[in-house]
Amino acid sequence: MAKQSAIANQIQIETSASRALFEGQCDAWIVGLSSHERPPRGLAGVLDWHLRGWISHSIKSGIFEGSAGECAYLPHIHQGRPIHLLLVGLGSGKRKGTLPATSLTALKQNLKNLGRTSWGISVLDLGTDSVEPISHHMGQTLKGSTLWIST
C-alpha cells in the first residue's frame, strides 16, 4: 500500500488576509517581505498600515531585513487581541510570488518550533508553489492543523 502524503487537516480559502486576521478567523499569518521593499508591499504593506507601522519599525530596528532564509516571529496585541506574524524573507530579487528554498527551510523550522496549529498565507506574496510544501509540513508536524489561504 502506498504511503499517503500528509497535508494540513483543514484548508480554508479567504480572499482577504487582513479581514481574516482582524475579524478573528485566523490570528496567525506567514508574511513574505523582500529585502529591497521599503516601505513593505503586498500583505506586509497592508498589515503594516493596519498595525501603524509595526512591521516598518521592526525593519528599522534591525529585527528583520527580508533576506532569503530569514524568519522573524512578531507577536502583537491589536485592539486587545493577540495576533501572530511570521515574517519570511523573499530575498533581494523582484517579488515573483516564489518562496526561496532557504526561506522555506527556515519557515518549516519556525512553524515546528512555534507549534501553532493555524496559519494563513497569501499566495500573492509566497506563490502558489508554497501551498503544498507548507500544507504538507503542517500535516506532518502539527496535529489538527488548518492552513488559511488568501488569494
Side-chain angles (χ1 to χ4, degrees), residues 17-29 81-83 118 148:
S18 60
R19 182 175 63 223
L21 179 64
F22 296 116
E23 291 179 4
Q25 295 169 323
C26 179
D27 67 352
W29 283 82
R81 289 186 309 122
I83 60 171
S118 182
W148 287 80

Side-chain angles (χ1 to χ4, degrees), residues 20 26 29-30 35 40 43-44 50 56 101 106 108 116 135:
C26 179
W29 283 82
I30 300 163
S35 60
L43 179 57
H50 279 284
S56 291
K108 287 178 178 180
R116 298 191 54 80
S135 176

Side-chain angles (χ1 to χ4, degrees), residues 30-34 37 39-51 54-56 59 64 85 87-88 95 122 125:
I30 300 163
V31 181
L33 184 68
S34 290
E37 292 181 349
R41 296 186 189 118
L43 179 57
V46 171
L47 295 178
D48 194 45
W49 181 81
H50 279 284
L51 300 171
W54 178 53
I55 295 172
S56 291
I59 293 166
F64 188 78
L85 298 182
L87 300 181
V88 60
R95 183 178 286 274
S122 167
D125 282 1

Side-chain angles (χ1 to χ4, degrees), residues 14-136:
E14 172 59 64
T15 57
S16 170
S18 60
R19 182 175 63 223
L21 179 64
F22 296 116
E23 291 179 4
Q25 295 169 323
C26 179
D27 67 352
W29 283 82
I30 300 163
V31 181
L33 184 68
S34 290
S35 60
H36 73 282
E37 292 181 349
R38 304 298 183 263
R41 296 186 189 118
L43 179 57
V46 171
L47 295 178
D48 194 45
W49 181 81
H50 279 284
L51 300 171
R52 299 182 183 145
W54 178 53
I55 295 172
S56 291
H57 176 72
S58 298
I59 293 166
K60 287 177 187 174
S61 64
I63 293 172
F64 188 78
E65 293 179 7
S67 301
E70 184 180 20
C71 277
Y73 171 63
L74 300 174
H76 188 70
I77 302 295
H78 179 71
Q79 297 179 349
R81 289 186 309 122
I83 60 171
H84 309 270
L85 298 182
L86 184 56
L87 300 181
V88 60
L90 300 177
S92 61
K94 290 185 176 180
R95 183 178 286 274
K96 300 175 205 141
T98 302
L99 189 60
T102 56
S103 296
L104 181 59
T105 300
L107 174 61
K108 287 178 178 180
Q109 187 61 47
N110 277 274
L111 289 174
K112 181 180 177 183
N113 290 343
L114 291 169
R116 298 191 54 80
T117 59
S118 182
W119 286 95
I121 63 170
S122 167
V123 293
L124 294 176
D125 282 1
L126 302 181
T128 56
D129 292 346
S130 66
V131 173
E132 192 279 328
I134 292 171
S135 176
H136 181 77

